[in-house]
Amino acid sequence: MPSNDTRKSVAVVGSLNFDLVCVLDRLPGLGETLTARSHVTAFGGKGANQAVAAARLGASVRMIGAVGSDSTGEAMRRNLEDNGVDASGLLVAEGPSGVAMISIDANGDNTIVVYPGANAALGPDWVRANARAIEDGDCLMLQLETPLESALEAARIAGRAGVPVLLNPAPARALPDELLRLCSAVTPNETELAILSGVPGIEDGARALLAKGVGAVVVTLGSAGCLYVDEVGTFTVPSYRIDAVDATAAGDSFNGALATRLGSGRVTPEDLAFCNAAGAIAATRLGAQPSIPTISEVDQFMALRRP
Ligand code: RIB
């Protein structure tokens, strides 16, 4: 039966973590023990965060990933469902779910250590078994916290079905040209861009990725906004001034927002202003998924604020 759902349909292949967060005055040095000001736990993982972001920003979202056979895995599944994400593409892998230990300093900057747990069990076979979720979507969203072969397999499926692929190359690593060729857009920060392209300089790095077949590069620049580069040209979109509390999931909110805007046409400055606003709001709140805004929060923020 044809669906009346006019929302953008996004498939996410990626990670789910349980985040243990400590808020500190400053980050510890090597061998140093510090006492945290406060501590929270939150659902996280780049894949799950981006799935929740796209859902809160109005998309219909399906998640393909892996959780552990522990109670955290079941809680992760319920959490996705509570956020309106279709979690039927979650594999239950024997063993623990993924965890992340996150330290936040007084500027809202963070360091993150991830133990992949079940995320490491997300293989290309499981992605193939869930190919329909990708083929039926308007966009496939990928990150690099799960095995690379799975991301590549998902991108191949999307490529054959003509579905645009959005890759957030985090955590950064060198990537096969085949994966880059399959990407409609990639969204590195400056550090990730340097690792990915091997070329110094933001615009030169972005152009090196275009030369490898990426459709468009959106370089996230933190408080400076973002830079868009494709074969047609380049533009910068400034961000919003905020008092940052925690940068965790700001990038994921940006990416989730972009997945709701990516289509056959070129991404516009207005689209990227929307993404910047989603990321800026997330940075004003503590925790990964608790910080991700809804579409009405972004609309309200943009109506009241100027970059
Ligand atoms: O992008 C933020 C996320 O990175 C956190 O939620 C943490 O789980 C790590 O995956």
Side-chain angles (χ1 to χ4, degrees):
M1 202 166 70
S3 157
N4 289 328
D5 198 342
T6 53
R7 292 178 300 165
K8 194 115 194 175
S9 170
V10 176
V12 180
V13 174
S15 60
L16 302 92
N17 292 329
F18 191 67
D19 292 353
L20 310 170
V21 185
C22 281
V23 182
L24 303 134
D25 290 331
R26 63 178 175 83
L27 301 176
L30 197 64
E32 190 178 17
T33 301
L34 292 178
T35 302
R37 281 180 169 279
S38 59
H39 165 71
V40 293
T41 59
F43 290 106
K46 294 184 196 307
N49 294 348
Q50 293 178 19
V52 166
R56 288 189 189 161
L57 295 171
S60 150
V61 183
R62 292 175 180 187
M63 171 105 202
I64 300 166
V67 297
S69 52
D70 50 6
S71 56
T72 307
E74 193 38 46
M76 286 168 161
R77 174 190 299 277
R78 270 201 314 275
N79 170 63
L80 283 186
E81 288 168 351
D82 290 349
N83 278 282
V85 174
D86 181 336
S88 57
L90 289 187
L91 168 75
V92 179
E94 198 51 45
S97 296
V99 283
M101 293 188 303
I102 304 181
S103 301
I104 314 287
D105 72 9
N107 299 319
D109 290 323
N110 63 25
T111 61
I112 304 181
V113 177
V114 171
Y115 172 68
N119 293 305
L122 179 64
D125 286 354
W126 185 254
V127 172
R128 275 192 290 276
N130 287 278
R132 275 296 289 277
I134 298 170
E135 292 160 350
D136 290 350
D138 300 307
C139 174
L140 167 68
M141 184 155 45
L142 301 170
Q143 325 73 34
L144 301 174
E145 261 183 354
T146 45
L148 185 58
E149 318 82 75
S150 313
L152 182 56
E153 187 59 23
R156 285 179 183 140
I157 293 166
R160 283 195 293 270
V163 173
V165 178
L166 169 60
L167 169 67
N168 174 221
R173 51 174 294 175
L175 293 176
D177 287 356
E178 182 188 0
L179 179 56
L180 292 172
R181 268 198 307 276
L182 288 164
C183 291
S184 316
V186 296
T187 55
N189 62 24
E190 287 175 71
T191 316
E192 291 156 357
L193 177 66
I195 295 171
L196 210 58
S197 67
V199 172
I202 300 180
E203 220 173 306
D204 288 347
R207 297 224 167 270
L209 295 184
L210 295 185
K212 288 187 182 249
V214 170
V217 182
V218 185
V219 187
T220 53
L221 303 168
S223 57
C226 61
L227 173 77
Y228 178 91
V229 184
D230 69 7
E231 293 297 356
V232 180
T234 299
F235 57 83
T236 304
V237 182
S239 193
Y240 296 82
R241 234 171 284 158
I242 48 146
D243 289 324
V245 168
D246 174 9
T248 314
D252 297 329
S253 299
F254 181 98
N255 279 280
L258 186 54
T260 70
R261 298 294 171 111
L262 207 64
S264 45
R266 196 173 186 229
V267 170
T268 65
E270 291 71 30
D271 292 330
L272 292 179
F274 175 75
C275 301
N276 281 342
I281 296 171
T284 63
R285 299 169 177 170
L286 183 61
Q289 290 179 31
S291 74
I292 296 170
T294 61
I295 190 143
S296 51
E297 288 174 325
V298 177
D299 286 346
Q300 214 179 350
F301 180 90
M302 291 181 77
L304 297 174
R305 310 276 288 254
R306 290 285 160 266

